[in-house]
Amino acid sequence: MSNQEKDIYILAIESSCDDTSAAVFCNDRLLSNEVATQAIHKKYGGVVPELASRAHQKNIVPVVDIALKNAGVDRSQIGAMAFTRGPGLLGSLLVGVSFAKSFALARNIPLLEVNHMQAHILAHFIKDEDEKDAPEFPFLCLTVSGGHTQIVKVNSHLDMELIGHTIDDAAGEAFDKGAKILGLPYPGGPHVDKRAREGDPEKFAFTIPNVPGLDFSFSGLKTSLLYFIRDNEKENPNFLEENLNDICASYQQAIVTFLLQKLKRAARETGVKNICLAGGVSANSNLRNQLTELGESQGWKVFIPRFEYCTDNAAMIGIAGYFKYLKGEFASQDITPAARLSI
Ligand code: KG4
Ligand code: ZN
């Protein structure tokens, strides 16, 4: 495994957006992963940063306590502390960074600073009861979350190249903003997914965005949905209600087709055939199914994470921290959060 002399227990925390999460690892083996989701944002139809920071402040100690208890590990056994430095909401990150620094200082253990986007990708290396194979290097990862849409060429655990990204909204925002237009609750992705399963993806045609190279753009798609509903409601005020499942299926189809079109191009241009999915939107059933089918037709080896590792969680922070620990890459006590942080 490594030149490590003895087992290392790592406590990891994630607080970049609206989930407070803590995980405990023994080396690369996950022992526990607890997530407290902040329900408060549902009321506002989106994450309210100030409320998110306050909820993190309230949740962080209990969530860490439960993670340690469920792992059967005492805090005195923890040998390193991993945390999300960014990207994310500054107030939310501050809670996690401050907690991590205090814990590390109190226990006199090293700090492991983690990039949230790298962590989404490294979730593929978490060892758990599934005993699934990890992807071989190099691989391409399509990372699709609420704040990011990226195609990354992964050369090794900590050497990653961004080869494509969104120039405006993220794929998750296309789902969430689209869902808002359709009157569905926040976060909209899972609701669109559920409705789409009962609908016909061919019923309505949404134009696939035309963006050069390996980049993405989703804001036009969301606007076309808005106009589509508005125009049809002029003819039939019940249009939305009567066609909701088909609209969800057709809109989702456009998002997924666009994502896979770019991924196919990236694979062709790089010649890489190991393909991974990561981030919250990789929980989407249509994306998972279509990527699996595309992989079979293209001769790719496709890796899709378990549902609980798709949306934000501390397990992915812990595994990323573990690879930094192996390389001796420790953060100092002067570290500050970074709302913007490239991969
Ligand atoms: O990675 P994540 O948990 O948080 C960020 O780092 O942003 O991603 C959250 C995003 C939200 O936009 C949510 O609607 C989307 O993931 N999402 C889904 C599904 N489950 C979560 N989108 C489509 N289909 C799903 N089943
Ligand atoms: Zn995320």
Side-chain angles (χ1 to χ4, degrees):
M1 178 181 65
S2 74
N3 52 8
Q4 218 182 296
E5 281 168 10
K6 60 183 177 66
D7 287 341
I8 175 77
Y9 286 92
I10 297 176
L11 171 64
I13 52 171
E14 152 64 30
S15 72
S16 65
C17 191
D18 60 341
D19 292 312
T20 319
S21 180
V24 178
F25 277 80
C26 176
N27 306 319
D28 52 357
R29 183 153 293 274
L30 181 65
L31 302 180
S32 68
N33 182 33
E34 300 304 318
V35 184
T37 300
Q38 304 177 1
I40 182 121
H41 307 289
K42 282 203 171 93
K43 228 164 81 181
Y44 301 93
V47 177
V48 183
E50 175 63 24
L51 295 178
S53 319
R54 291 184 202 192
H56 282 305
Q57 193 77 54
K58 220 157 107 186
N59 292 343
I60 192 128
V61 172
V63 169
V64 166
D65 271 344
I66 296 169
L68 286 167
K69 194 163 159 249
N70 288 350
V73 170
D74 187 80
R75 72 183 68 171
S76 61
Q77 292 173 267
I78 299 294
M81 175 78 228
F83 65 96
T84 309
R85 181 176 179 221
L89 300 170
L90 195 65
S92 294
L93 292 166
L94 257 171
V95 176
V97 174
S98 307
F99 179 92
K101 290 209 277 189
S102 316
F103 191 95
L105 194 63
R107 309 253 19 121
N108 196 23
I109 55 173
L111 271 172
L112 302 161
E113 158 209 348
V114 171
N115 177 312
H116 181 93
M117 299 313 294
Q118 284 197 351
H120 268 301
I121 297 172
L122 293 171
H124 287 281
F125 295 89
I126 296 169
K127 285 226 170 76
D128 58 17
E129 65 276 13
D130 279 3
E131 303 292 348
K132 264 173 64 177
D133 285 345
E136 276 172 30
F137 300 114
F139 63 85
L140 294 182
C141 189
L142 173 68
T143 313
V144 272
S145 74
H148 294 82
T149 300
Q150 304 180 332
I151 301 180
V152 179
K153 181 164 176 263
V154 185
N155 300 315
S156 70
H157 293 122
L158 300 174
D159 174 10
M160 303 187 185
E161 289 170 63
L162 182 66
I163 59 172
H165 68 109
T166 181
I167 55 171
D168 44 50
D169 287 352
E173 279 175 294
F175 275 104
D176 296 341
K177 292 179 179 177
K180 205 168 182 175
I181 295 168
L182 301 175
L184 297 171
Y186 175 85
H191 296 278
V192 173
D193 188 355
K194 198 166 155 218
R195 293 261 172 191
R197 271 178 241 156
E198 311 297 320
D200 174 5
E202 310 293 332
K203 179 85 180 276
F204 305 109
F206 291 97
T207 310
I208 308 295
N210 186 4
V211 189
L214 297 175
D215 288 340
F216 299 91
S217 161
F218 287 99
S219 71
L221 200 54
K222 162 206 71 193
T223 312
S224 72
L225 176 68
L226 183 69
Y227 291 157
F228 169 77
I229 303 292
R230 195 190 58 184
D231 294 347
N232 279 285
E233 280 186 337
K234 276 186 202 150
E235 312 277 317
N236 170 12
N238 298 326
F239 176 76
L240 179 56
E241 215 178 302
E242 288 169 9
N243 295 282
L244 188 54
N245 292 348
D246 293 336
I247 298 169
C248 284
S250 305
Y251 181 67
Q252 174 177 277
Q253 179 68 23
I255 299 173
V256 171
T257 303
F258 185 39
L259 289 170
L260 295 183
Q261 213 178 60
K262 293 288 180 166
L263 192 54
K264 205 167 150 188
R265 181 173 178 157
R268 195 177 62 230
E269 287 182 4
T270 58
V272 175
K273 285 183 177 288
N274 291 322
I275 310 286
C276 298
L277 201 55
V281 181
S282 51
N284 184 266
S285 51
N286 189 256
L287 178 59
R288 295 166 86 94
N289 293 339
Q290 288 204 43
L291 176 58
T292 307
E293 279 171 27
L294 182 65
E296 279 163 15
S297 74
Q298 299 290 313
W300 296 346
K301 208 165 170 194
V302 171
F303 298 83
I304 299 180
R306 266 168 76 156
F307 279 106
E308 61 263 47
Y309 306 147
C310 292
T311 46
D312 289 348
N313 65 86
M316 67 186 199
I317 306 302
I319 192 74
Y322 174 70
F323 293 124
K324 289 215 155 177
Y325 180 86
L326 290 185
K327 291 194 91 181
E329 286 186 20
F330 303 125
S332 83
Q333 274 288 334
D334 344 1
I335 191 122
T336 51
R340 288 174 175 274
L341 196 62
S342 54
I343 205 150

